[in-house]
Amino acid sequence: MPKISFETRGNSLGVNEDVNGAQRKFPHMPIGQAVDMGFTSEGVPLIDPRIFDSGEFGRNPYPYYRILRDHYPVYYDQLHNCYFVTRYDDITESYFDEIGFNTIPKGSSSGVLGNTQLELSGIEHRRRRNIYGRHLVGAALTKRLHALEQIADELISEWWLSANPKEVLINNETGTATIELGKAFANEFPISVVAQVLGIPQEARQQFTWWYDAMMSGLGGSETHHEGLEARQDLEEYVEDLVDQKRNAPTYLTDEAGNNICLDIISELCNSEIDGDVMSTEEITSFIALVVGGGGETTRGAIMNLWYLLLQHPNQFKAVRSDSGLWDTAFHEMLRHSTSIGGQPRHNTNDLTLHGVHIPAGSLIHMVDVSANHDDRIFANPEDFNIFREDLYSGKILRSGHAKEGKCSHMAFGVGPHLCPGAWISQQETVIGSKILDKTLGNVRINYERMPKDIDGVSLAPIGLGSIRELWLDFDLPN
Amino acid sequence: MEDQEKYEIDEEPESAPGYRTYEVYQRERVGETTNLIKPRELISDSYLHDPYPLVGLLRENYPCYRDWLGNRFWITRYDDVTSVFTDDRNYQTRTKTWFYGLQDYGKNLWNEISVQKAFESNVDEHIAKITGEALLNWDRDGFDLAVDFCAEIPLRLWGAILDISDEELNRFVPLFWRMQRGSGWNPIRRKDGLAAVEEMEALLDPIFSKRRNDPSTDFISAIAQVELTDREISTTDLVVTILELDHETLHGGLSNLWFNLLQNPDEMGKIHDDPRMLKYAWLETLRYTPPVLSAKRFTKTEVERFGRLLPEGSLMMCSAAAANRDPRQFNNPDTFIVGRKDLCQREPRGQYRADGLPSGISFGLGKPSIHPAVPKERPRSLYAIVRDCAVTASSMLLEKKPNIKLIDQSSPELKSLLLEEIHTCWELKVSS
């Protein structure tokens, strides 16, 4: 009998891989190219699920999603005990099938946000959405837009304070200034908007930022989970008192002259009644936690990614500056190209066979929204950022989605019953915030020296999954 | 905004009557967080080498640990693990063929008494001869106890059980190894394993046909003679049965036994004093260093256990490594003690506490047998067959090389080559 070599035996494919070990070291590839993980005899590329834990995947996810879409429209990842569904049409269909693909067995917020909308289905889900959803859309939202403009103006006015809280670098000789857009604006803007429209008193804003940071980093059951739950607990204790107060004495958003515009959202929630049903304090806390989570980081990422992409496409940026109606179009194309939410988990209610893959009932299925947005069955040249593309619908955000006359809506907010309730306000924040920034940022350009670089040390870091961490901008000082 | 109003009313599917919208969300309190461990550690190289500190931490702090990264619950206390294994009503086992997607390929015939008997009699008949042959290589350059003895014996045993020629065995061994490794999570190995399944079928098919017409006393003949009610028996059934039977516990257990003995001279001394203690060394090895670290079960329905509501389809990662070192069951659980008093010394056939004492978990046994005693006509359980094999082989080794010891300065270690593969010693250089 031949001598046994356990380390190598059993690899007749001749695949060049790190045969053993728990974590595989994947090389960083040029953006858009996948690591060679081997091929089947039919020439189908193989996917090693350890890639999903790698840094390479975080910075360069799209070539891998393309392989999944083209060859494994349902990919069973036994290592992480889940399935990935990556094609636009499959995801759309399952989002509308609330019964076949439920949200019941939890996962999304690992207990940190509480029992939120993300994890409810059917009547229970609709009941809550009916109570609060209307405060973030339509006429109710329009009434609150004033607050957005005010906050943006205030933040920008801080750039010129002598204490320099936003760390603006001013060079009077050249007449230019340098900012990091996150620090100067995008980190704080969405969270201030959320605090304001919710009706969190000014003195608690500092605390609010900590709740937000801790809960966000506590997601995913990691070592920071503990701090996340502490923050949730702390938030709940605070909200409990606040709710008591607002149930008795509702508070209002006011305009510059101090006139009441409308009730803040917490006051609305405390006093809303639908079919004789009111929201409990626990429900309000979970709602706040979700709005804080959903309304902070995502919108920060949207502002950062939008400016990053536009500044790298000067012609498109020029077009947007000359026609402010295009800011909305650019917002949608940015979300299609680089949204900061990867996707949504679902669980199949019954046994199911999809694209020939048997999925036992109760399995975790990741609906990969970012992959749907790059599905070239829907969007031509999906890796290109192009606000003029003709296949993207960029009109009013619809719960039913849009697929007509060659135009499809992007999947960044999902579709169907779980469509992001913050979609409309997020769009308003990003567009209004950007328009106000645009007025101040004359002759704006990326400061390449200060920007994080990709692995070659020369090119700008790609957005990858999520949003860019820093965006350094130079601009001419206003006169 | 009219559109939104319209779509909210018109476009959403209505819930089916009776559809459950109530959530299984469970509030986690601040004190219940799991910040002592990062889920990434459970898929790290340190877990491959020494899983015991990590799973011990789970067992003592988070006995039903929700691992978000691996989407599973880790069950780590002895009583909890056995409660899952014995509860067929609520938990489902998924076989290697399931993970391969070969549910309709063939049938595992291990439950046929005639097949078990053929396996038992062939193992009993050949183990001594095979061990003797393996020991002939002792003086060969670079003899490695882990490879040339512990790994080789189970494979040669397969050759004897199947009664195939040396040339056929040389082809069988790599196919067998590829087939076993391919049923795990690694899709590259999986493709390779599926190819090996096909090649294995091609290799065994002519032999199978021959023995179907002209049976002998070997394992293939026994399978070829099984009568199925719905169809003809075929080579695929043979391949599936071989795949599910595997050799991991004999290979890994044998290697771990010698790893433990060679590093614990006092315990080795007990065996020199009384060779009958080898059986207890084997049992203690399976407790102290089980080669198969964990077994998976899936909840068949939503079930409330371990203080949690477990949704349907949840993966329960039952850690034998953690359970076998549970201080609630074993004194000094982290010490290798041959003949320990708190370990069951009988063959567990389905149950874990034959004498009211826990046994080391190394086989995922099913629910307890309803029979008060093992019927006489039944063969020994696989657990006992493997144990006797290991004891026979080890006795012969010890008889031939009573002064066996580790080569100076060698520092053998246990490790898994890949996540979820056997945890054993892959290199054991010895001298006599």
Side-chain angles (χ1 to χ4, degrees):
Chain A
M1 212 164 83
K3 195 167 168 66
I4 297 163
S5 162
F6 289 100
E7 299 281 337
T8 54
R9 171 165 293 171
N11 191 353
S12 71
L13 295 169
V15 172
N16 179 21
E17 57 153 340
D18 285 343
V19 178
N20 299 310
Q23 300 293 336
R24 180 172 166 190
K25 308 276 179 291
F26 292 94
H28 286 257
M29 299 296 289
I31 295 302
Q33 280 179 38
V35 175
D36 178 0
M37 293 180 256
F39 292 84
T40 66
S41 48
E42 297 84 35
V44 175
L46 294 166
I47 292 278
D48 181 337
R50 288 177 292 185
I51 189 79
F52 301 124
D53 298 324
S54 70
E56 158 65 4
F57 187 73
R59 69 176 263 288
N60 181 31
Y62 296 108
Y64 305 100
Y65 283 136
R66 180 183 288 273
I67 294 175
L68 294 187
R69 281 192 308 272
D70 289 350
H71 301 285
Y72 309 95
V74 176
Y75 177 79
Y76 176 33
D77 175 353
Q78 205 178 310
L79 183 64
H80 300 95
N81 187 35
C82 62
Y83 296 78
F84 290 95
V85 170
T86 43
R87 286 188 189 166
Y88 186 97
D89 286 344
D90 295 332
I91 294 175
T92 307
E93 201 172 314
S94 56
Y95 279 167
F96 280 111
D97 183 359
E98 196 188 7
I99 293 166
F101 296 90
N102 68 68
T103 53
I104 285 177
K106 318 311 119 210
S108 351
S109 71
S110 50
V112 173
L113 300 183
N115 193 13
T116 69
Q117 283 294 96
L118 298 176
E119 290 137 344
L120 297 175
S121 291
I123 297 163
E124 193 76 8
H125 174 256
R126 211 153 311 163
R127 168 187 162 270
R128 276 210 214 171
R129 203 186 66 208
N130 287 343
I131 296 179
Y132 74 67
R134 61 201 166 93
H135 301 303
L136 297 172
V137 297
L141 173 60
T142 311
K143 280 193 279 184
R144 297 189 162 96
L145 293 182
H146 171 74
L148 267 64
E149 289 165 12
Q150 198 184 341
I151 291 167
D153 285 335
E154 276 169 19
L155 280 173
I156 291 174
S157 69
E158 286 181 34
W159 293 4
W160 319 118
L161 296 178
S162 54
N164 198 9
K166 302 297 183 219
E167 300 175 31
V168 179
L169 306 168
I170 295 176
N171 186 335
N172 283 317
E173 277 176 29
T174 55
T176 59
T178 303
I179 54 166
E180 195 283 290
L181 186 63
K183 214 173 280 167
F185 187 81
N187 296 356
E188 208 173 321
F189 178 58
I191 206 72
S192 297
V193 170
V194 166
Q196 178 105 341
V197 298
L198 283 175
I200 304 281
Q202 193 67 37
E203 60 272 17
R205 296 283 167 86
Q206 200 59 35
Q207 187 68 357
F208 196 73
T209 310
W210 175 72
W211 289 325
Y212 163 72
D213 286 342
M215 288 197 297
M216 281 299 94
S217 63
L219 295 181
S222 59
E223 69 275 23
T224 46
H225 190 207
H226 182 76
E227 205 189 334
L229 284 194
E230 271 182 344
R232 171 67 167 68
Q233 182 80 32
D234 202 52
L235 171 69
E236 183 165 328
E237 279 161 21
Y238 176 79
V239 168
E240 207 171 323
D241 291 343
L242 196 64
V243 165
D244 272 352
Q245 287 165 23
K246 297 200 184 210
R247 281 199 207 275
N248 297 321
T251 47
Y252 292 83
L253 292 184
T254 53
D255 65 14
E256 281 162 331
N259 302 315
N260 291 344
I261 305 171
C262 60
L263 283 172
D264 60 57
I265 293 182
I266 298 180
S267 296
E268 286 264 17
L269 295 178
C270 291
N271 296 283
S272 292
E273 200 171 306
I274 287 186
D275 298 336
D277 205 355
V278 294
M279 279 179 98
S280 71
T281 306
E282 149 67 23
E283 283 177 315
I284 294 175
T285 312
S286 294
F287 168 73
I288 293 171
L290 178 61
V291 170
V292 169
E297 171 56 29
T298 49
T299 308
R300 187 203 78 91
I303 295 171
M304 298 285 277
N305 286 356
L306 180 60
W307 280 83
Y308 193 47
L309 287 167
L310 281 176
L311 288 171
Q312 290 182 81
H313 297 84
N315 289 340
Q316 298 184 41
F317 187 42
K318 206 170 142 199
V320 170
R321 290 195 119 166
S322 59
D323 174 5
S324 67
L326 285 176
W327 279 105
D328 290 291
T329 314
F331 170 76
H332 284 296
E333 170 61 359
M334 174 276 299
L335 283 183
R336 186 204 64 78
H337 183 271
S338 292
T339 181
S340 49
I341 297 284
Q344 301 180 47
R346 290 289 186 272
H347 293 79
N348 52 322
T349 309
N350 303 303
D351 282 6
L352 160 79
T353 299
L354 192 57
H355 292 290
V357 179
H358 173 72
I359 312 176
S363 298
L364 170 61
I365 307 175
H366 289 296
M367 304 293 172
V368 188
D369 295 339
V370 293
S371 168
N373 283 341
H374 282 240
D375 188 345
D376 56 10
R377 290 155 195 80
I378 306 293
F379 302 112
N381 302 317
E383 264 83 68
D384 294 346
F385 175 78
N386 176 11
I387 63 168
F388 305 113
R389 64 169 55 246
E390 287 180 353
D391 44 20
L392 177 68
Y393 166 80
S394 54
K396 205 176 280 177
I397 302 162
L398 301 174
R399 192 171 293 287
S400 59
H402 179 101
K404 268 185 262 182
E405 291 145 12
K407 284 181 187 292
C408 287
S409 47
H410 62 76
M411 199 59 84
F413 294 122
V415 287
H418 283 270
L419 176 90
C420 172
W424 299 275
I425 191 168
S426 151
Q427 179 173 359
Q428 294 304 335
E429 282 179 54
T430 309
V431 170
I432 290 175
S434 293
K435 283 180 183 170
I436 292 175
L437 278 172
D438 187 36
K439 277 190 258 168
T440 311
L441 299 175
N443 185 28
V444 61
R445 62 267 176 200
I446 292 174
N447 181 318
Y448 280 83
E449 282 76 52
R450 290 176 178 270
M451 284 301 289
K453 302 292 188 307
D454 198 9
I455 40 156
D456 59 10
V458 180
S459 342
L460 293 177
I463 295 175
L465 285 177
S467 54
I468 48 155
R469 306 314 309 163
E470 293 174 27
L471 180 54
W472 288 92
L473 301 177
D474 292 334
F475 61 98
D476 295 347
L477 284 170
N479 297 321
Chain B
M1 293 296 146
E2 269 174 28
D3 279 346
Q4 286 150 23
E5 304 297 339
K6 189 179 120 219
Y7 283 114
E8 285 192 26
I9 296 157
D10 291 340
E11 300 284 337
E12 272 188 61
E14 273 305 308
S15 299
Y19 174 60
R20 177 168 173 265
T21 63
Y22 176 70
E23 67 278 19
V24 294
Y25 170 75
Q26 275 177 291
R27 185 69 184 274
E28 278 184 74
R29 300 282 162 191
V30 173
E32 293 166 358
T33 53
T34 53
N35 49 318
L36 295 178
I37 193 164
K38 301 173 192 171
R40 203 168 271 270
E41 293 176 62
L42 294 165
I43 52 169
S44 65
D45 285 327
S46 75
Y47 181 82
L48 291 189
H49 282 90
D50 187 4
Y52 293 98
L54 280 167
V55 292
L57 200 148
L58 291 183
R59 184 188 61 229
E60 299 311 316
N61 296 281
Y62 320 119
C64 178
Y65 174 69
R66 178 73 169 92
D67 168 3
W68 296 96
L69 186 61
N71 186 34
R72 62 197 64 194
F73 294 92
W74 285 77
I75 305 300
T76 41
R77 291 190 180 166
Y78 190 93
D79 286 342
D80 294 345
V81 168
T82 56
S83 80
V84 174
F85 285 161
T86 53
D87 185 355
D88 294 354
R89 188 178 293 248
N90 288 302
Y91 303 100
Q92 178 191 36
T93 305
R94 292 183 188 162
T95 57
K96 288 183 183 169
T97 32
W98 190 93
F99 285 111
Y100 262 132
L102 292 175
Q103 292 93 325
D104 302 326
Y105 174 72
K107 188 175 178 214
N108 178 4
L109 297 170
W110 176 249
N111 284 334
E112 299 289 328
I113 299 287
S114 59
V115 172
Q116 291 183 13
K117 281 194 160 169
F119 185 82
E120 180 188 41
S121 60
N122 279 291
V123 169
D124 289 349
E125 186 185 335
H126 296 291
I127 181 65
K129 184 169 156 276
I130 284 164
T131 307
E133 284 167 7
L135 286 173
L136 287 178
N137 290 330
W138 183 274
D139 296 321
R140 198 170 72 180
D141 264 0
F143 181 84
D144 181 332
L145 195 65
V147 176
D148 299 310
F149 188 80
C150 304
E152 181 131 347
I153 285 176
L155 294 171
R156 280 187 180 277
L157 201 51
W158 266 116
I161 295 165
L162 301 175
D163 191 17
I164 54 182
S165 68
D166 281 355
E167 189 267 328
E168 286 161 340
L169 181 60
N170 284 343
R171 288 172 59 200
F172 173 87
V173 165
L175 292 178
F176 179 78
W177 177 247
R178 284 165 55 196
M179 212 165 75
Q180 297 297 348
R181 284 199 95 184
S183 65
W185 55 267
N186 187 333
I188 295 167
R189 300 205 168 281
R190 185 184 144 95
K191 283 280 169 198
D192 191 46
L194 280 168
V197 168
E198 263 181 47
E199 290 171 51
M200 183 68 97
E201 189 186 332
L203 169 69
L204 296 178
D205 201 45
I207 311 172
F208 183 84
S209 305
K210 207 164 141 239
R211 309 248 172 108
R212 185 147 170 75
N213 298 324
D214 182 16
S216 174
T217 56
D218 65 285
F219 189 73
I220 299 180
S221 298
I223 288 198
Q225 301 310 308
V226 171
E227 297 291 337
L228 295 179
T229 50
D230 53 339
R231 61 174 171 84
E232 282 247 315
I233 195 95
S234 81
T235 315
T236 59
D237 304 310
L238 171 65
V239 174
V240 167
T241 309
I242 291 173
L243 172 67
E244 300 291 356
L245 261 176
D246 73 49
H247 71 312
E248 293 181 326
T249 302
L250 181 56
H251 165 194
L254 209 47
S255 197
N256 292 358
L257 169 67
W258 283 97
F259 171 84
N260 290 331
L261 285 177
L262 290 168
Q263 300 211 97
N264 292 281
D266 289 351
E267 302 308 302
M268 180 75 112
K270 290 180 186 172
I271 293 164
H272 283 305
D273 292 346
D274 180 356
R276 287 177 301 180
M277 294 301 280
L278 252 179
K279 173 186 161 188
Y280 304 122
W282 168 257
L283 295 177
E284 173 67 348
T285 291
L286 293 187
R287 181 201 70 83
Y288 179 65
T289 49
V292 179
L293 291 175
S294 53
K296 294 177 179 177
R297 294 291 185 273
F298 293 83
T299 49
K300 285 180 178 169
T301 56
E302 182 182 298
V303 57
E304 191 173 346
R305 291 285 186 280
F306 322 116
R308 272 185 183 272
L309 205 49
L310 307 168
E312 177 186 0
S314 301
L315 167 53
M316 313 305 292
M317 196 73 170
C318 300
S319 172
N324 282 350
R325 296 199 184 188
D326 188 343
R328 292 156 198 81
Q329 301 293 340
F330 303 106
N331 295 321
N332 301 321
D334 294 319
T335 312
F336 177 73
I337 304 170
V338 173
R340 60 161 60 235
K341 301 290 181 290
D342 49 13
L343 178 72
C344 169
Q345 297 176 348
R346 285 174 53 199
E347 161 204 356
R349 183 188 286 273
Q351 66 272 48
Y352 291 89
R353 293 176 185 79
D355 299 321
L357 289 172
S359 51
I361 297 168
S362 57
F363 288 80
L365 302 177
K367 60 185 170 189
S369 162
I370 54 163
H371 298 292
V374 179
K376 210 175 171 184
E377 67 275 15
R378 282 183 72 98
R380 300 177 344 269
S381 71
L382 191 56
Y383 186 96
I385 297 171
V386 171
R387 176 198 62 205
D388 294 344
C389 246
V391 170
T392 305
S394 299
S395 307
M396 287 176 67
L397 171 59
L398 205 57
E399 221 167 273
K400 192 165 173 191
K401 303 287 174 192
N403 297 321
I404 182 171
K405 60 177 194 305
L406 284 175
I407 285 182
D408 288 345
Q409 269 120 38
S410 74
S411 46
E413 55 163 8
L414 299 183
K415 68 170 181 186
S416 306
L417 297 180
L418 267 183
L419 284 168
E420 300 180 14
E421 290 193 342
I422 56 172
H423 189 246
T424 192
C425 180
W426 301 92
E427 191 181 34
L428 207 47
K429 300 278 191 197
V430 289
S431 65
S432 56

